[in-house]
Amino acid sequence: MSADRESPAETDPLRAAAEVMRQVREKCVWSQAMTHRELVPYLVEESAELIDAVEREDRAELREELGDLLWQVLFHAAIAAQDPADPFDIDDVARTLTEKMTRRHPHVFGNAIARTPEEVLVHWNAAKAAEKHDRRSVLDGIPPGMPALARAQKILGRAAKAHVEVSEDPSASGHEEAPPAIVGPTPAPPTEPAPLTEAELGEQLLTLVVAARTHGWDAERALRERIRILEDEVRAAEGSEPA
């Protein structure tokens, strides 16, 4: 096919996908009824399917799931474009993204120098701090709806910036009193050695979940409760209040 006879999907696939989404939003009664909030479960599901494809190294699934996740972005942008008070479309989303990523990569688009990944993070964090200058705590911006395990890892990284550390040994946590048990007796300190690989970590995490199930405990809730204690410690060290 000659260049002058190529279809829009061939010449500009992203623009063609956005146009398909626009027509679906306008003409499909199910899509017309969707709101940002009602789409959230689909966004979570598509994200999980993409993660699975990445971890299984399935190239065909990866390509398809990336498309499904892109569809969610286009869908949210199409809904936003119809907002009567504050409309924006996929071009506004792309423009905002381009501006932000240009600012956060001064070593690519400016005169800054970064020779190592660590130096890149210094520039990234400095740019992000300038953008989020109204934040009062290192904990601000961490989504409360994150799964507890992912949120714990995120908070631990931020806690270190406030000079609040959590020992790998629970018996050396520094608390005068142990946090109250959620349900059942307080478990004995772990006797297994610290994991040396990510696979060993997975085994130990699964063992903890087995223990939780055996005792009738809620593993997610237990970790959320412990995270709240850590958050209080970080905010006390900063002298900040919850946002």
Side-chain angles (χ1 to χ4, degrees), residues 46-65:
E46 296 298 353
S47 299
E49 290 177 357
L50 173 59
I51 292 169
D52 183 59
V54 169
E55 293 179 345
R56 289 190 291 105
E57 299 183 354
D58 188 323
R59 298 286 294 174
E61 283 293 316
L62 176 61
R63 179 176 178 173
E64 180 177 352
E65 297 303 338

Side-chain angles (χ1 to χ4, degrees), residues 36 105 185 204 240:
H36 290 299
H105 292 81
Q204 290 193 16
S240 65

Side-chain angles (χ1 to χ4, degrees), residues 30-140:
W30 183 88
S31 299
Q32 290 171 352
M34 286 294 101
T35 66
H36 290 299
R37 185 178 295 274
E38 290 168 332
L39 273 182
V40 166
Y42 301 96
L43 178 60
V44 172
E45 181 179 348
E46 296 298 353
S47 299
E49 290 177 357
L50 173 59
I51 292 169
D52 183 59
V54 169
E55 293 179 345
R56 289 190 291 105
E57 299 183 354
D58 188 323
R59 298 286 294 174
E61 283 293 316
L62 176 61
R63 179 176 178 173
E64 180 177 352
E65 297 303 338
L66 281 168
D68 289 346
L69 193 58
L70 174 60
W71 184 254
Q72 292 297 309
V73 174
L74 294 172
F75 207 153
H76 280 281
I79 294 172
Q82 297 175 334
D83 187 279
D86 184 21
F88 61 84
D89 61 15
I90 191 62
D91 289 327
D92 296 314
V93 172
R95 190 176 299 110
T96 300
L97 174 65
T98 299
E99 292 171 354
K100 179 169 72 173
M101 290 305 154
T102 301
R103 286 195 307 272
R104 293 191 183 183
H105 292 81
H107 54 292
V108 176
F109 302 103
N111 298 323
I113 297 174
R115 296 186 178 87
T116 66
E118 291 75 18
E119 290 176 349
V120 171
L121 288 178
V122 170
H123 292 307
W124 176 278
N125 290 330
K128 187 173 182 179
E131 295 166 12
K132 311 294 183 180
H133 57 83
D134 57 335
R135 290 182 174 175
R136 295 175 295 171
S137 169
V138 295
L139 301 179
D140 290 347

